[in-house]
PDB file of all heavy atoms in Angstrom:
ATOM      1  N   SER A 205      -1.781  18.209 109.721  1.00 84.00           N
ATOM      2  CA  SER A 205      -1.094  17.538 110.763  1.00 84.00           C
ATOM      3  C   SER A 205      -2.168  16.937 111.740  1.00 84.00           C
ATOM      4  O   SER A 205      -2.042  16.045 112.589  1.00 84.00           O
ATOM      5  CB  SER A 205      -0.101  18.376 111.559  1.00 84.00           C
ATOM      6  OG  SER A 205      -0.726  19.468 112.128  1.00 84.00           O
ATOM      7  N   SER A 206      -3.470  17.618 111.634  1.00 89.00           N
ATOM      8  CA  SER A 206      -4.563  17.065 112.468  1.00 89.00           C
ATOM      9  C   SER A 206      -5.053  15.795 111.939  1.00 89.00           C
ATOM     10  O   SER A 206      -5.474  15.751 110.642  1.00 89.00           O
ATOM     11  CB  SER A 206      -5.684  18.223 112.528  1.00 89.00           C
ATOM     12  OG  SER A 206      -6.776  17.536 113.089  1.00 89.00           O
ATOM     13  N   GLN A 207      -5.208  14.750 112.729  1.00 92.00           N
ATOM     14  CA  GLN A 207      -5.707  13.422 112.183  1.00 92.00           C
ATOM     15  C   GLN A 207      -7.126  13.582 111.627  1.00 92.00           C
ATOM     16  O   GLN A 207      -7.421  13.015 110.556  1.00 92.00           O
ATOM     17  CB  GLN A 207      -5.749  12.424 113.251  1.00 92.00           C
ATOM     18  CG  GLN A 207      -6.070  10.994 112.675  1.00 92.00           C
ATOM     19  CD  GLN A 207      -5.930   9.949 113.803  1.00 92.00           C
ATOM     20  OE1 GLN A 207      -5.697  10.278 114.940  1.00 92.00           O
ATOM     21  NE2 GLN A 207      -6.097   8.698 113.409  1.00 92.00           N
ATOM     22  N   ARG A 208      -7.950  14.342 112.258  1.00 92.00           N
ATOM     23  CA  ARG A 208      -9.273  14.425 111.799  1.00 92.00           C
ATOM     24  C   ARG A 208      -9.419  15.243 110.392  1.00 92.00           C
ATOM     25  O   ARG A 208     -10.322  14.768 109.567  1.00 92.00           O
ATOM     26  CB  ARG A 208     -10.214  15.209 112.857  1.00 92.00           C
ATOM     27  CG  ARG A 208      -9.988  16.516 113.182  1.00 92.00           C
ATOM     28  CD  ARG A 208     -10.978  17.115 114.145  1.00 92.00           C
ATOM     29  NE  ARG A 208     -10.731  18.553 114.552  1.00 92.00           N
ATOM     30  CZ  ARG A 208      -9.886  18.917 115.340  1.00 92.00           C
ATOM     31  NH1 ARG A 208      -9.224  18.105 116.082  1.00 92.00           N
ATOM     32  NH2 ARG A 208      -9.791  20.284 115.570  1.00 92.00           N
ATOM     33  N   VAL A 209      -8.687  16.187 110.288  1.00 92.00           N
ATOM     34  CA  VAL A 209      -8.668  17.045 108.938  1.00 92.00           C
ATOM     35  C   VAL A 209      -8.123  16.133 107.897  1.00 92.00           C
ATOM     36  O   VAL A 209      -8.686  16.071 106.798  1.00 92.00           O
ATOM     37  CB  VAL A 209      -7.894  18.244 109.098  1.00 92.00           C
ATOM     38  CG1 VAL A 209      -7.802  19.064 107.732  1.00 92.00           C
ATOM     39  CG2 VAL A 209      -8.617  19.272 110.231  1.00 92.00           C
ATOM     40  N   ARG A 210      -6.945  15.389 108.184  1.00 92.00           N
ATOM     41  CA  ARG A 210      -6.415  14.566 107.135  1.00 92.00           C
ATOM     42  C   ARG A 210      -7.333  13.412 106.793  1.00 92.00           C
ATOM     43  O   ARG A 210      -7.340  13.018 105.623  1.00 92.00           O
ATOM     44  CB  ARG A 210      -4.995  13.959 107.659  1.00 92.00           C
ATOM     45  CG  ARG A 210      -4.338  13.259 106.658  1.00 92.00           C
ATOM     46  CD  ARG A 210      -3.811  14.092 105.487  1.00 92.00           C
ATOM     47  NE  ARG A 210      -3.714  13.406 104.262  1.00 92.00           N
ATOM     48  CZ  ARG A 210      -2.882  13.708 103.319  1.00 92.00           C
ATOM     49  NH1 ARG A 210      -1.981  14.692 103.483  1.00 92.00           N
ATOM     50  NH2 ARG A 210      -2.875  13.036 102.151  1.00 92.00           N
ATOM     51  N   THR A 211      -8.043  12.878 107.749  1.00 93.00           N
ATOM     52  CA  THR A 211      -9.030  11.794 107.433  1.00 93.00           C
ATOM     53  C   THR A 211     -10.040  12.248 106.443  1.00 93.00           C
ATOM     54  O   THR A 211     -10.445  11.626 105.453  1.00 93.00           O
ATOM     55  CB  THR A 211      -9.661  11.314 108.739  1.00 93.00           C
ATOM     56  OG1 THR A 211      -8.648  10.738 109.596  1.00 93.00           O
ATOM     57  CG2 THR A 211     -10.728  10.309 108.518  1.00 93.00           C
ATOM     58  N   VAL A 212     -10.661  13.391 106.750  1.00 94.00           N
ATOM     59  CA  VAL A 212     -11.665  14.005 105.915  1.00 94.00           C
ATOM     60  C   VAL A 212     -11.132  14.249 104.503  1.00 94.00           C
ATOM     61  O   VAL A 212     -11.787  14.103 103.429  1.00 94.00           O
ATOM     62  CB  VAL A 212     -12.380  15.289 106.461  1.00 94.00           C
ATOM     63  CG1 VAL A 212     -13.343  15.875 105.546  1.00 94.00           C
ATOM     64  CG2 VAL A 212     -13.089  14.801 107.765  1.00 94.00           C
ATOM     65  N   ALA A 213      -9.855  14.897 104.450  1.00 93.00           N
ATOM     66  CA  ALA A 213      -9.259  15.250 103.164  1.00 93.00           C
ATOM     67  C   ALA A 213      -9.096  13.914 102.336  1.00 93.00           C
ATOM     68  O   ALA A 213      -9.355  13.940 101.154  1.00 93.00           O
ATOM     69  CB  ALA A 213      -7.909  15.981 103.458  1.00 93.00           C
ATOM     70  N   ASP A 214      -8.597  12.869 102.918  1.00 92.00           N
ATOM     71  CA  ASP A 214      -8.313  11.657 102.322  1.00 92.00           C
ATOM     72  C   ASP A 214      -9.696  11.017 101.829  1.00 92.00           C
ATOM     73  O   ASP A 214      -9.813  10.499 100.653  1.00 92.00           O
ATOM     74  CB  ASP A 214      -7.730  10.592 103.102  1.00 92.00           C
ATOM     75  CG  ASP A 214      -6.301  11.007 103.404  1.00 92.00           C
ATOM     76  OD1 ASP A 214      -5.630  11.726 102.697  1.00 92.00           O
ATOM     77  OD2 ASP A 214      -5.720  10.458 104.456  1.00 92.00           O
ATOM     78  N   HIS A 215     -10.788  11.264 102.533  1.00 93.00           N
ATOM     79  CA  HIS A 215     -12.067  10.804 102.073  1.00 93.00           C
ATOM     80  C   HIS A 215     -12.533  11.548 100.816  1.00 93.00           C
ATOM     81  O   HIS A 215     -13.023  10.856  99.980  1.00 93.00           O
ATOM     82  CB  HIS A 215     -13.051  10.998 103.254  1.00 93.00           C
ATOM     83  CG  HIS A 215     -14.478  10.493 103.051  1.00 93.00           C
ATOM     84  ND1 HIS A 215     -14.745   9.166 103.114  1.00 93.00           N
ATOM     85  CD2 HIS A 215     -15.595  11.079 102.599  1.00 93.00           C
ATOM     86  CE1 HIS A 215     -15.978   8.907 102.943  1.00 93.00           C
ATOM     87  NE2 HIS A 215     -16.502  10.052 102.542  1.00 93.00           N
ATOM     88  N   LEU A 216     -12.343  12.830 100.784  1.00 93.00           N
ATOM     89  CA  LEU A 216     -12.800  13.640  99.680  1.00 93.00           C
ATOM     90  C   LEU A 216     -11.934  13.264  98.473  1.00 93.00           C
ATOM     91  O   LEU A 216     -12.499  13.189  97.325  1.00 93.00           O
ATOM     92  CB  LEU A 216     -12.690  15.145 100.043  1.00 93.00           C
ATOM     93  CG  LEU A 216     -13.595  15.655 101.069  1.00 93.00           C
ATOM     94  CD1 LEU A 216     -13.207  17.100 101.384  1.00 93.00           C
ATOM     95  CD2 LEU A 216     -15.088  15.506 100.569  1.00 93.00           C
ATOM     96  N   ILE A 217     -10.646  13.076  98.645  1.00 91.00           N
ATOM     97  CA  ILE A 217      -9.728  12.639  97.522  1.00 91.00           C
ATOM     98  C   ILE A 217     -10.206  11.374  96.934  1.00 91.00           C
ATOM     99  O   ILE A 217     -10.284  11.180  95.718  1.00 91.00           O
ATOM    100  CB  ILE A 217      -8.304  12.584  98.018  1.00 91.00           C
ATOM    101  CG1 ILE A 217      -7.705  14.003  98.380  1.00 91.00           C
ATOM    102  CG2 ILE A 217      -7.431  11.953  97.016  1.00 91.00           C
ATOM    103  CD1 ILE A 217      -6.338  14.035  99.147  1.00 91.00           C
ATOM    104  N   ALA A 218     -10.499  10.345  97.834  1.00 90.00           N
ATOM    105  CA  ALA A 218     -10.921   9.031  97.330  1.00 90.00           C
ATOM    106  C   ALA A 218     -12.276   9.191  96.510  1.00 90.00           C
ATOM    107  O   ALA A 218     -12.497   8.564  95.524  1.00 90.00           O
ATOM    108  CB  ALA A 218     -11.154   8.099  98.539  1.00 90.00           C
ATOM    109  N   LEU A 219     -13.093  10.142  97.114  1.00 89.00           N
ATOM    110  CA  LEU A 219     -14.535  10.235  96.515  1.00 89.00           C
ATOM    111  C   LEU A 219     -14.357  10.816  94.984  1.00 89.00           C
ATOM    112  O   LEU A 219     -14.894  10.137  94.190  1.00 89.00           O
ATOM    113  CB  LEU A 219     -15.198  11.213  97.240  1.00 89.00           C
ATOM    114  CG  LEU A 219     -16.569  11.788  96.629  1.00 89.00           C
ATOM    115  CD1 LEU A 219     -17.542  10.517  96.495  1.00 89.00           C
ATOM    116  CD2 LEU A 219     -17.246  12.947  97.516  1.00 89.00           C
ATOM    117  N   PHE A 220     -13.524  11.763  94.811  1.00 87.00           N
ATOM    118  CA  PHE A 220     -13.334  12.388  93.440  1.00 87.00           C
ATOM    119  C   PHE A 220     -12.564  11.382  92.537  1.00 87.00           C
ATOM    120  O   PHE A 220     -12.867  11.339  91.298  1.00 87.00           O
ATOM    121  CB  PHE A 220     -12.740  13.680  93.519  1.00 87.00           C
ATOM    122  CG  PHE A 220     -13.664  14.804  93.903  1.00 87.00           C
ATOM    123  CD1 PHE A 220     -13.987  15.107  95.232  1.00 87.00           C
ATOM    124  CD2 PHE A 220     -14.191  15.555  92.860  1.00 87.00           C
ATOM    125  CE1 PHE A 220     -14.851  16.133  95.493  1.00 87.00           C
ATOM    126  CE2 PHE A 220     -15.074  16.546  93.147  1.00 87.00           C
ATOM    127  CZ  PHE A 220     -15.451  16.831  94.474  1.00 87.00           C
ATOM    128  N   SER A 221     -11.606  10.662  93.095  1.00 84.00           N
ATOM    129  CA  SER A 221     -10.883   9.723  92.297  1.00 84.00           C
ATOM    130  C   SER A 221     -11.710   8.581  91.699  1.00 84.00           C
ATOM    131  O   SER A 221     -11.483   8.050  90.628  1.00 84.00           O
ATOM    132  CB  SER A 221      -9.677   9.119  93.053  1.00 84.00           C
ATOM    133  OG  SER A 221     -10.097   8.294  94.115  1.00 84.00           O
TER     134      SER A 221
END
Side-chain angles (χ1 to χ4, degrees):
S205 60
S206 165
Q207 186 180 4
R208 66 177 181 272
V209 175
R210 184 70 211 209
T211 296
V212 176
D214 288 343
H215 185 81
L216 294 173
I217 291 169
L219 171 63
F220 278 85
S221 67

